[in-house]
Amino acid sequence: MTNYIPTIGVEVHVELKTKTKIFSNSINGYGEMANSLTNVVDLGYPGTLPTLNEEVLNLAIKAATVLNCKIRRQMHFDRKNYFYPDNPKNYQITQFDTPIGYDGYVEIEVDGKTKKIEIEEMHIEEDTCKSTHRGTKTLLDFNRAGVPLIEIVTKPCMESSKEAKLYLEKLKELLFYCDISDCKMEEGSMRADANVSIRKSESDPFGTKCEIKNIGSISNVGLSIEKEIIRQQALLERGETFKEQTRRYDDKLGDTVLMRVKETGNDYRYFPEPDIPYLYVTDERIERVKEDIPMLPNERRKKYMDLGVSELNANKLVQNRSLSDYFNTLLEEKINFKIASNLLLGDIAAYLNKHEKNIENTTLTKERFIDLINNVDDGTLTSKNLKDILDTVLDNNLSIKEIIKESGIKNITDDGAIREIIIKIINDNPESVKDYKDGKDRAIKFLMGQVMKETKGSANPKIANEILTSELNK
Amino acid sequence: MKYLDKSIKEINELLKNKTIKPIDLVEEAFEKIEKNKDLNAYITLNKEQALKDAKELENIEVDNILFGLPIAVKDNIVTKDLLTTCASHILDNFTPIYDATVVEKLKEHHMIIIGKTNMDEFAMGSSSRTSYFGAPKNPWNKEKIAGGSSGGSATTIAAHDVLFALGSDTGGSIRQPASYCGIVGMKPTYGRVSRYGLVAFASSLDQIGPMTRNVYENAILLNAIVASDEKDLTSARKEKEDFTRLIGEQIRGMKIAVPNYFMSDIVDINIREKIEEIIKLLEQKGAVVDYIDVKYLENAVTLYQIIAMGEASSNLARFDGIRYGHAKENPESITDLYYGTRQEGFGQEVKRRIMVGSYLLSGENAKTYYNKALSIRDDMKKALEKVFEKYDLIIGPTTTTTAYNLTDSMDDPRKSFMDDVLVIPVNMAGLPGLNIPVGFSKDKMPIGMQIIGNAFEEAKMYKLASFIEKELNLDLNPFGGEKND
Amino acid sequence: MKDKLSKEEVMHVAELAKIKISEEEVEKYQVELKQLLNDVEKINDVKGYDEDILIAPWTDKTSLRKDERGIMLQPKEVLENAPRHSGNYIEVPVVISEGEGA
């Protein structure tokens, strides 16, 4: 079987996180009673006209900025005309001639190499209403009609399902981070279409393109592209040709299925929207929006690892925007960042999950957290201690010192007392001492475990470690 | 009890000193409308609510010159809780749950909406004969058309039923019926009056304007409806101004242009002669009048056909039987619902225009027709603006003929466009245009003159119009009532 | 210039406009639509203009609305105007394939 080169382009629709809709002041919300979030503009009542939500422009500029797009300074909107029950005016207001962003890129890491996924353009448009099919009827809920969207279109520049998935993950991370969108694919606030074609060699023209519409998750994007490549290969191998078509991914079937064949190009009868005058983007607005862009995930990851945080923890932190933001407030401090990341992602994250809280809603001020980290760092608090006092630390304003005092933690910090126990343990475990002398690192861990067991976790681990090492080396 | 034949200043005095109440005006209006029922000027009368509104006004101080006065509103302007049909079967059951911004303005001024006037279906036509409810008749001769598309508004004003009406003008739909019916009609500068609540025909051309018996009342009504509106992004952000402020001034030194095309043989010789008389009069009174060439004027109808039909095909796509309005009964499929609803709901003229408009935007045609039209439109606007570097105003006839017979053939789909050849250029450039009656043809039908101003110079147009009105002092009551002044 | 459109051309524009037309109407439209289209052809005779376009004679640039919530309709109001509805939904005959949504 010949090896084919797939070519993949991805179009993503993202709902913007605004309070109100793009062309009307009704609420942009999800999960409310059907047809309760609309007004006469959203429903396309006769005589109604669009107004333009400033926040949509700001978020679109923000998105264009983080996607490294050039930003257009003078724009108009266009009407895309097509009849469909989910399209209240039977035209959609979009940007066809003058998308707000163009010539951008997103960087992904594939097999250790950085690849630029080129963004052809990104434009602003309105969402359609939601339709549900029930037997012989289709039911329409117009709550979603007029929700602001940006559509981000890549060039056909990806060559595998893996690249497409990595691109989507990166895109989602960026947009979510910048508060541009919730990016919840399961709620439809992020939706992806993939264009797939295959050809035998780089020098060949692109093969016939099939579009897979409205894929419900990133993993399904991967699966559907793979299945589609296999399907197209099989056809070509059999010497068959096929027409440009629109398909969808059937989850149960685990394959793509035909929706319709594009006999001729879609005839959307685009023309410039006369109801919305030219829209201008000023330098001041771009600057204001840029100030609002947080430190981006890549930069965070790099910073964290430079400060001694493990790659695993750095990634975990970045995935949790609120913990990562909290962590960022510490970056200038002289603390043990490894411990800080362990604490945040371990016991503290567990507490937050259990109590369904954000870190901002706890009493853990920056100062108290630093205090806590230092107490762990110098061995005053053992991990067992920490578990005992964490609830108090997080829902109480007492200083760490007071909490330690009140909780009655009496760690054995007396050198003499610890040394006595250690000598006993060394004497009881000659095998381990031998292992240690033979250079087996495991042994010291075992012996330390015995010390903590003997002291019921109350020995200052730092001191104990020092004494144990010195006794063993005698 | 002929209060409505008095000037609005007099009526206002009578209301202020409580000689009359608003309800007297409303009752008189309905009596007249009843008497002139055969004119078919109205699609819906707002009798019950109007009487109620008038009663309520009795408890309110007379706070402005339009207080308590009845007004007729064209039926493509949405009125809350009052049927708004656009003279179409597809909306003949449509009761809006919102007011157009202009309607809010009328209500703020305590005017009383008396009813919704007849018109061409969706304002597409030039004789109001495309109305689903039958054509209105010209009060000067009931065998003749009232013009269109604001035919009902022109009719009710000409018949002296009420003093005020609103019309809309996409390609002459205020000025042309005003000319045929012998009244004053103003299409303001694009953006002067909010379009929110005006059922869109061609969004880049549509504009609401006042239709009245005389120039002063026209300017007063324009004062009331002009406002920049945050609900309409195309509404102009301009300071409030008094459009009557130049009325009564002398015209000496005014520089006036007459495009040669407007006086070419496309215009009936009797109308040209009448306009020439007016030009002589203006010259006598010290105005400077030059005949000039204006590029692209003769292309305006072609541009209009492309742009208006293109936009209309999109604007009228929303009438699909799903969210409001007429719907085909028991549709077998979604396609059946669309096709059936629109087949049943739209009349011939509308169907023709939507089909041609869809075609003009489809595939490559968008480039070969639509974009080209937008390019020429830009040049045409510039050519007209250039005239105003040298001249204060442009004048010419409003129509090529006087009103023709209601029974004349409607078979030629081009006829309705050609009727508007002189009034369309104004809409293409977004300029203000006004019709003022200047005399009568041999068969006693009104002849109108068009005054065109530079953008936002309506006050200057009213100045010239009121001067001519005063000089001519025509008797403009078709039923020979008392004279208005 | 032809003096009428073909039947297929008429059916095509009717489809674009989503209007059902009867057999007799097709014949009528073959002539009428062609008359209008012939008129429109005259645009090709116009010369000497530049490429700048005028979308609409706007006075001002677009002003932006603050992202603040306004008054909405009650579901009841939405449904009362709709020719067909069931539950809180507006209803249409089933749409077979999931369509061209945004």
Side-chain angles (χ1 to χ4, degrees):
Chain A
M1 191 157 161
T2 331
N3 268 332
Y4 288 87
I5 306 168
T7 304
I8 300 154
V10 174
E11 291 169 23
V12 176
H13 284 93
V14 176
E15 289 184 351
L16 299 178
K17 226 166 124 180
T18 55
K19 289 195 197 78
T20 65
K21 294 186 178 176
I22 176 166
F23 298 122
S24 94
N25 62 7
S26 57
I27 292 175
N28 169 9
Y30 179 82
E32 299 293 321
M33 184 203 290
N35 292 307
S36 67
L37 305 179
T38 70
N39 62 25
V40 287
V41 179
D42 309 325
L43 291 159
Y45 268 69
T48 60
L49 294 169
T51 57
L52 187 58
N53 184 347
E54 181 167 21
E55 193 57 17
V56 172
L57 179 62
N58 290 341
L59 292 180
I61 292 172
K62 210 177 190 183
T65 307
V66 299
L67 302 179
N68 304 297
C69 286
K70 291 179 185 147
I71 295 170
R72 199 178 301 274
R73 299 310 185 92
Q74 181 190 326
M75 289 164 267
H76 64 262
F77 286 82
D78 298 279
R79 290 190 187 176
K80 179 180 179 178
N81 293 284
Y82 65 94
F83 279 82
Y84 211 75
D86 68 3
N87 185 10
K89 300 179 291 295
N90 288 319
Y91 63 80
Q92 179 196 31
I93 306 179
T94 178
Q95 293 184 311
F96 182 64
D97 289 337
T98 55
I100 183 165
Y102 56 101
D103 290 350
Y105 65 87
V106 168
E107 284 180 344
I108 58 168
E109 304 289 323
V110 204
D111 305 327
K113 278 191 222 140
T114 303
K115 177 169 178 169
K116 274 189 182 175
I117 304 300
E118 292 171 89
I119 305 223
E120 172 97 36
E121 55 104 344
M122 60 153 277
H123 61 260
I124 305 170
E125 61 185 27
E126 58 182 327
D127 210 345
T128 53
C129 92
K130 200 168 166 242
S131 38
T132 318
H133 309 297
R134 289 275 156 74
T136 59
K137 305 170 189 172
T138 291
L139 303 177
L140 304 172
D141 169 11
F142 287 83
N143 288 355
R144 200 182 69 186
V147 164
L149 291 177
I150 48 172
E151 181 174 354
I152 303 157
V153 182
T154 71
K155 290 191 176 158
C157 63
M158 285 165 268
E159 291 184 347
S160 66
S161 62
K162 187 175 175 187
E163 287 182 11
K165 283 200 293 187
L166 286 168
Y167 162 69
L168 285 171
E169 272 157 17
K170 184 49 75 69
L171 187 67
K172 187 172 169 177
E173 185 179 76
L174 283 169
L175 299 176
F176 181 75
Y177 244 82
C178 296
D179 267 331
I180 294 166
S181 172
D182 284 338
C183 294
K184 289 183 183 162
M185 288 188 89
E186 66 282 9
E187 289 183 6
S189 65
M190 181 170 172
R191 310 195 282 272
D193 308 333
N195 285 300
V196 181
S197 68
I198 58 172
R199 55 180 165 167
K200 279 187 178 161
S201 129
E202 298 267 3
S203 54
D204 288 348
F206 289 128
T208 307
K209 178 175 83 175
C210 295
E211 185 181 23
I212 315 163
K213 276 256 179 210
N214 261 325
I215 315 169
S217 68
I218 293 182
S219 59
N220 278 358
V221 170
L223 290 173
S224 61
I225 290 172
E226 282 158 25
K227 292 288 183 181
E228 182 58 20
I229 292 169
I230 293 169
R231 193 187 69 85
Q232 292 186 15
Q233 275 180 358
L235 286 171
L236 294 187
E237 285 294 299
R238 287 201 303 264
E240 289 177 30
T241 55
F242 50 89
K243 282 188 173 151
E244 233 177 78
Q245 54 194 266
T246 304
R247 306 179 67 84
R248 65 181 173 82
Y249 184 68
D250 187 315
D251 221 346
K252 282 182 205 132
L253 213 64
D255 208 346
T256 66
V257 289
L258 180 70
M259 283 168 71
R260 60 178 180 274
V261 174
K262 292 180 182 176
E263 287 290 348
T264 49
N266 277 326
D267 194 350
Y268 288 127
R269 289 169 283 138
Y270 285 103
F271 75 98
E273 167 60 274
D275 285 333
I276 307 176
Y278 286 118
L279 173 63
Y280 295 90
V281 176
T282 60
D283 289 347
E284 295 73 42
R285 183 177 295 278
I286 292 176
E287 284 315 309
R288 268 206 316 275
V289 169
K290 277 187 178 165
E291 279 166 26
D292 206 28
I293 295 175
M295 192 195 291
L296 296 179
N298 274 358
E299 199 186 340
R300 290 184 193 224
R301 254 188 295 266
K302 190 172 173 305
K303 272 226 160 97
Y304 298 168
M305 283 159 71
D306 288 350
L307 290 168
V309 176
S310 68
E311 190 178 348
L312 181 72
N313 271 5
N315 280 328
K316 277 191 184 167
L317 267 178
V318 167
Q319 279 161 23
N320 188 326
R321 168 83 195 273
S322 114
L323 287 185
S324 175
D325 282 350
Y326 184 80
F327 196 79
N328 282 359
T329 63
L330 304 167
L331 296 182
E332 301 298 315
E333 305 295 331
K334 293 207 160 38
I335 51 167
N336 186 329
F337 286 99
K338 204 171 173 164
I339 292 179
S341 69
N342 283 336
L343 286 177
L344 275 180
L345 293 166
D347 292 334
I348 295 177
Y351 169 92
L352 296 174
N353 266 340
K354 186 175 152 201
H355 296 272
E356 290 179 357
K357 269 189 182 176
N358 277 323
I359 187 124
E360 306 88 61
N361 311 113
T362 67
T363 57
L364 193 64
T365 59
K366 181 177 155 187
E367 289 66 32
R368 294 177 74 240
F369 188 45
I370 292 170
D371 211 2
L372 188 70
I373 295 162
N374 289 336
N375 271 296
V376 175
D377 196 20
D378 69 11
T380 309
L381 285 172
T382 65
S383 54
K384 180 180 176 298
N385 299 154
L386 205 60
K387 285 196 170 44
D388 293 339
I389 64 167
L390 197 72
D391 279 17
T392 323
V393 172
L394 291 172
D395 62 17
N396 203 302
N397 279 315
L398 293 171
S399 74
I400 305 299
K401 205 174 168 182
E402 282 171 304
I403 294 172
I404 293 172
K405 206 171 144 197
E406 290 205 357
S407 67
I409 293 173
K410 283 203 197 78
N411 287 340
I412 310 172
T413 52
D414 172 22
D415 282 17
I418 297 177
R419 195 177 297 272
E420 205 173 296
I421 295 166
I422 285 174
I423 290 168
K424 182 178 174 280
I425 288 171
I426 287 178
N427 291 335
D428 291 352
N429 296 283
E431 288 288 307
S432 295
V433 175
K434 188 172 174 291
D435 284 351
Y436 175 77
K437 303 257 180 197
D438 291 347
K440 289 185 183 160
D441 277 350
R442 255 183 324 115
I444 196 156
K445 275 189 186 155
F446 171 77
L447 292 169
M448 263 306 282
Q450 294 301 307
V451 176
M452 295 318 274
K453 199 173 161 192
E454 188 68 25
T455 59
K456 299 199 172 68
S458 67
N460 181 317
K462 209 170 173 179
I463 296 172
N465 204 322
E466 276 164 21
I467 296 174
L468 179 63
T469 317
S470 78
E471 285 298 325
L472 283 169
N473 290 336
K474 267 185 183 164
Chain B
M1 200 187 80
K2 285 226 164 179
Y3 301 115
L4 287 178
D5 286 333
K6 297 185 185 301
S7 78
I8 53 170
K9 280 178 181 165
E10 284 173 281
I11 297 174
N12 196 245
E13 272 314 308
L14 294 172
L15 284 167
K16 271 182 178 163
N17 66 31
K18 310 235 186 243
T19 311
I20 59 167
K21 293 175 186 164
I23 200 156
D24 300 322
L25 301 173
V26 171
E27 279 172 351
E28 182 182 338
F30 281 116
E31 273 169 38
K32 287 181 163 173
I33 291 166
E34 179 59 31
K35 208 176 80 202
N36 292 325
K37 212 171 160 184
D38 59 332
L39 295 175
N40 200 22
Y42 290 84
I43 292 172
T44 307
L45 289 177
N46 191 29
K47 197 162 183 179
E48 204 176 317
Q49 187 63 40
L51 291 169
K52 217 170 116 194
D53 291 345
K55 269 281 177 210
E56 270 167 28
L57 288 183
E58 287 173 17
N59 309 314
I60 299 171
E61 192 102 5
V62 180
D63 59 355
N64 77 89
I65 191 153
L66 294 171
F67 184 95
L69 288 166
I71 182 164
V73 175
K74 189 176 177 180
D75 207 23
N76 60 350
I77 298 172
V78 296
T79 41
K80 195 177 177 186
D81 300 328
L82 179 60
L83 207 59
T84 300
T85 71
C86 292
S88 181
H89 181 36
I90 212 158
L91 282 179
D92 63 4
N93 61 356
F94 180 62
T95 305
I97 43 185
Y98 51 109
D99 267 331
T101 298
V102 281
V103 172
E104 285 177 355
K105 292 281 151 204
L106 302 180
K107 289 178 178 173
E108 279 168 26
H109 284 80
H110 299 301
M111 297 190 84
I112 296 166
I113 294 168
I114 212 90
K116 304 296 293 287
T117 57
N118 205 346
M119 55 184 277
D120 280 300
E121 184 181 6
F122 284 104
M124 296 180 188
S126 61
S127 62
S128 297
R129 289 182 296 173
T130 70
S131 169
Y132 180 66
F133 303 97
K137 293 172 184 166
N138 195 313
W140 293 94
N141 179 343
K142 292 176 189 173
E143 307 286 303
K144 305 269 185 189
I145 60 162
S149 66
S150 310
S153 287
T155 297
T156 196
I157 296 296
H160 285 51
D161 293 333
V162 287
L163 283 67
F164 296 102
L166 289 182
S168 72
D169 190 315
T170 306
S173 281
I174 287 175
R175 290 159 288 153
Q176 184 255 48
S179 174
Y180 287 166
C181 291
I183 65 162
V184 179
M186 167 69 103
K187 183 211 91 83
T189 310
Y190 185 82
R192 258 301 187 198
V193 180
S194 170
R195 292 186 298 115
Y196 186 84
L198 170 65
V199 180
F201 160 14
S203 314
S204 75
L205 301 159
D206 296 343
Q207 188 64 193
I208 294 170
M211 301 174 78
T212 58
R213 301 176 306 187
N214 62 50
V215 176
Y216 177 76
E217 288 168 4
N218 201 281
I220 287 284
L221 183 55
L222 187 60
N223 277 350
I225 60 173
V226 163
S228 86
D229 181 9
E230 56 185 28
K231 288 181 185 162
D232 174 6
L233 290 172
T234 65
S235 114
R237 297 188 283 280
K238 288 273 171 192
E239 295 277 312
K240 266 261 171 211
E241 61 178 282
D242 176 7
F243 294 105
T244 67
R245 69 184 188 276
L246 304 180
I247 288 176
E249 283 190 6
Q250 287 306 304
I251 60 153
R252 184 162 297 280
M254 261 194 145
K255 296 180 80 178
I256 293 162
V258 182
N260 287 316
Y261 180 65
F262 283 1
M263 295 297 272
S264 65
D265 57 11
I266 56 169
V267 180
D268 181 281
I269 181 74
N270 296 309
I271 294 178
R272 271 186 278 156
E273 281 170 4
K274 183 56 76 183
I275 301 297
E276 277 159 8
E277 271 176 40
I278 305 292
I279 290 169
K280 282 205 191 84
L281 168 73
L282 297 178
E283 285 174 330
Q284 274 168 23
K285 298 293 177 178
V288 181
V289 183
D290 291 337
Y291 285 78
I292 59 161
D293 281 321
V294 185
K295 232 184 144 187
Y296 303 113
L297 279 186
E298 66 277 18
N299 306 121
V301 171
T302 308
L303 301 189
Y304 178 79
Q305 287 174 321
I306 295 169
I307 292 167
M309 288 193 276
E311 288 186 21
S313 72
S314 173
N315 282 329
L316 273 68
R318 68 188 64 201
F319 303 104
D320 57 9
I322 296 177
R323 282 145 294 118
Y324 46 75
H326 174 78
K328 184 178 193 269
E329 299 262 344
N330 307 316
E332 289 162 15
S333 64
I334 185 70
T335 311
D336 188 32
L337 177 63
Y338 284 146
Y339 284 71
T341 298
R342 292 162 70 82
Q343 177 195 34
E344 294 167 4
F346 290 139
Q348 297 304 309
E349 180 79 22
V350 171
K351 284 179 189 169
R352 256 192 324 242
R353 293 196 190 195
I354 294 176
M355 285 194 275
V356 173
S358 304
Y359 174 80
L360 292 173
L361 289 171
S362 86
E364 285 301 300
N365 295 347
K367 279 199 199 80
T368 43
Y369 298 108
Y370 201 79
N371 290 357
K372 206 176 274 180
L374 295 185
S375 288
I376 303 168
R377 184 178 184 184
D378 184 57
D379 282 60
M380 187 183 150
K381 179 168 183 263
K382 286 175 184 153
L384 276 162
E385 279 167 352
K386 210 155 176 241
V387 175
F388 292 109
E389 289 173 8
K390 272 197 179 152
Y391 296 93
D392 292 299
L393 297 167
I394 294 172
I395 61 168
T398 306
T399 52
T400 56
T401 64
T402 55
Y404 49 85
N405 288 332
L406 277 161
T407 51
D408 280 8
S409 162
M410 288 175 78
D411 286 347
D412 185 350
R414 294 165 299 186
K415 168 82 174 141
S416 63
F417 294 102
M418 296 319 291
D419 286 346
D420 290 335
V421 61
L422 303 174
V423 276
I424 282 172
V426 159
N427 301 77
M428 298 312 301
L431 299 174
L434 175 143
N435 175 73
I436 172 182
V438 290
F440 294 89
S441 61
K442 290 185 190 102
D443 59 351
K444 290 281 180 304
M445 292 307 289
I447 292 172
M449 188 179 93
Q450 182 178 211
I451 302 174
I452 300 169
N454 200 0
F456 301 103
E457 294 197 340
E458 289 89 349
K460 218 189 247 185
M461 296 154 68
Y462 283 129
K463 169 180 155 179
L464 181 66
S466 73
F467 179 85
I468 295 169
E469 180 181 60
K470 203 169 164 210
E471 286 293 322
L472 299 178
N473 195 24
L474 300 171
D475 181 351
L476 289 167
N477 191 336
F479 309 132
E482 292 163 38
K483 266 200 175 183
N484 322 301
D485 43 351
Chain C
M1 256 188 261
K2 285 193 298 176
D3 56 358
K4 58 196 234 176
L5 293 180
S6 70
K7 281 189 178 172
E8 292 69 34
E9 286 170 316
V10 170
M11 292 317 285
H12 175 63
V13 291
E15 195 186 315
L16 288 175
K18 295 276 182 286
I19 295 169
K20 187 160 133 191
I21 48 181
S22 64
E23 249 336 284
E24 314 86 78
E25 282 176 315
V26 175
E27 280 177 33
K28 195 166 67 86
Y29 286 128
Q30 281 182 276
V31 177
E32 291 179 0
L33 299 188
K34 189 60 190 169
Q35 285 176 319
L36 287 171
L37 289 172
N38 285 345
D39 260 12
V40 160
E41 279 306 320
K42 289 181 195 148
I43 194 161
N44 293 315
D45 304 336
V46 185
K47 302 279 181 266
Y49 56 93
D50 64 35
E51 289 302 300
D52 293 348
I53 60 165
L54 180 79
I55 298 172
W58 299 317
T59 307
D60 300 298
K61 61 181 193 212
T62 278
S63 58
L64 296 160
R65 163 174 57 80
K66 290 250 174 301
D67 189 19
E68 287 164 7
R69 290 158 183 194
I71 298 162
M72 296 187 289
L73 298 174
Q74 297 296 322
K76 194 170 150 266
E77 294 175 288
V78 177
L79 301 170
E80 269 173 0
N81 266 304
R84 269 175 293 271
H85 52 88
S86 77
N88 271 329
Y89 296 87
I90 291 179
E91 185 192 310
V92 291
V94 72
V95 183
I96 311 290
S97 71
E98 187 59 46
E100 351 216 348

